[in-house]
Amino acid sequence: MSLQGKTAVVTGSTSGIGLGIARVLAKAGANIVLNGFGDAQGAIDELRCLGGGVAHHPADLSEVAQIEALFAYAEEHFGAVDILVNNAGIQHVAPVEQFPVDAWDRIIALNLSAVFHGSRLVLPGMRARDWGRIINIASVHGLVGSTGKAAYVAAKHGVIGLTKVIGLETATSNITCNAICPGWVLTPLVQKQIDDRAAAGVDPQQAQHDLLAEKQPSRAFVTPEHLGELVLFLCSEAGSQVRGAAWNVDGGWLAQ
Ligand code: NAD
C-alpha cells in the first residue's frame, strides 16, 4: 500500500522498534518525523534514500513543552500529522518497595503521559482532515504483569485504557486508535536486561535463552519489522475498522 503524501511522527525512533517502524512507513512512501536521543544522522540518511521527506526533532517527551514543540515542528515542516506512532519508552526493574521514585515518575511521564499529550495534539488536525491513525506501542505488559516492573506495567496498562477511550471517541470518524503489544524484541531496552543478568554471573547466551524461555513459547524474538508491517496494516483501508484494540505480537506469551 502507498502512504505517499501522508506524514508520520514516530516517537523514540532513533533506535530499536521505532526505527524499524519508521523504515516500513518510509518504504510505503510516508514522510517521517523521527524523534529520540543519540545520533539520528544515520537514520535520516537511510530513510531519505527511500524517497519521502525525513526530519528529526530531539524532544525529550517527558517534558510537556518539548512534546508541544515536536508536534508544532512536524506540522510546520510537513503541513500535517496523519499518523502518530507513540513508541518512545523506557524501563526500570526493581521491586515496588525499592523502586526509585524518580524512575517511577520518568516512566509514567514518558510511557503514559506522553501518549496522552501526543494524541491530544494531533487529534484536532486529524478531525479537520477526517483521517488519522494513532498507534500506541504498548507491550504484553499492558495486559499482564511481571515482577520488578511496577511503573512499566502500570504505564502500559494505562496506555491500553487510553487507546480504548480514543478508539471510542473517534469511532464514527476515519480516525482509528489502536495499541500493539509486543513480547520480547531484541533492542537496547531488552539487551540491558540481558546484560544485567550476565553481570550477575550468567553466561550471556544463557541469559538470552533464559529470558526467552521464561515467557515467550516461540523462543524467538519478535522483530521491529514484524511490528512495522502491523502498523502498516493498521494504516490501510483493511485495518480501518480495527478500533481500540490491543493486538499482541508476542510469540505466544499471552496464550499461556
Ligand atoms: P529502545 O531503547 O531501543 O528505544 C527507545 C527509543 O526511545 C530511543 O529512540 C530513545 O532515544 C527514545 N527515548 C528514550 N527516552 C526518551 C525521551 N525521554 N524522549 C524521547 N525519546 C526518548 O527501546 P525499544 O525496545 O525499541 O522500545 C520501544 C517501545 O517498545 C517502548 O515503548 C517499549 O516499552 C516497547 N516495547 C519494547 C519491547 C521489547 O522487547 N524491546 C517489548 C514490548 C514493548
Side-chain angles (χ1 to χ4, degrees):
M1 72 169 288
S2 173
L3 291 176
Q4 213 133 24
K6 303 276 191 227
T7 296
V9 173
V10 185
T11 69
S13 48
T14 50
S15 76
I17 293 170
L19 180 55
I21 292 171
R23 265 190 201 114
V24 173
L25 294 177
K27 274 187 199 148
N31 300 318
I32 305 291
V33 180
L34 296 165
N35 155 259
F37 300 149
D39 183 14
Q41 200 53 52
I44 294 170
D45 293 343
E46 182 197 333
L47 297 196
R48 279 213 177 117
C49 291
L50 300 172
V54 184
H56 170 252
H57 192 287
D60 177 344
L61 302 184
S62 56
E63 301 284 337
V64 179
Q66 294 196 38
I67 300 174
E68 290 173 347
L70 164 65
F71 288 98
Y73 170 82
E75 289 205 351
E76 204 173 291
H77 207 80
F78 289 116
V81 177
D82 304 292
I83 300 163
L84 168 59
V85 182
N86 283 306
N87 166 77
I90 50 172
Q91 176 65 284
H92 185 91
V93 181
V96 169
E97 65 273 32
Q98 288 154 27
F99 209 92
V101 171
D102 68 322
W104 171 274
D105 288 343
R106 274 188 284 114
I107 290 173
I108 297 298
L110 180 64
N111 295 18
L112 177 58
S113 299
V115 179
F116 159 69
H117 291 298
S119 303
R120 77 173 169 81
L121 291 165
V122 297
L123 274 169
M126 289 179 175
R127 285 200 192 277
R129 293 181 296 278
D130 192 28
W131 197 91
R133 295 288 185 267
I134 299 175
I135 297 158
N136 299 324
I137 306 305
S139 167
V140 286
H141 285 118
L143 295 163
V144 293
S146 285
T147 55
K149 298 186 175 175
Y152 188 87
V153 169
K156 296 296 188 181
H157 274 68
V159 166
I160 290 177
L162 177 60
T163 301
K164 291 176 182 170
V165 171
I166 298 173
L168 290 173
E169 290 185 359
T170 54
T172 56
S173 73
N174 290 312
I175 302 162
T176 69
C177 178
N178 292 289
I180 294 177
C181 302
W184 293 125
V185 186
L186 190 55
T187 66
L189 182 142
V190 165
Q191 187 61 49
K192 183 176 178 305
Q193 294 173 59
I194 295 169
D195 293 347
D196 288 347
R197 288 174 185 231
V202 184
D203 170 71
Q205 280 299 106
Q206 189 63 39
Q208 181 169 312
H209 173 271
D210 293 349
L211 188 92
L212 283 168
E214 281 164 18
K215 301 280 189 184
Q216 200 144 300
S218 65
R219 309 273 170 105
F221 287 105
V222 177
T223 68
E225 291 69 29
H226 293 148
L227 303 172
E229 293 295 336
L230 179 53
V231 168
L232 197 57
F233 169 75
L234 291 171
C235 291
S236 73
E237 177 54 28
S240 64
Q241 288 307 325
V242 184
R243 294 175 184 272
W247 191 321
N248 44 309
V249 184
D250 62 0
W253 184 321
L254 294 183
Q256 299 166 99

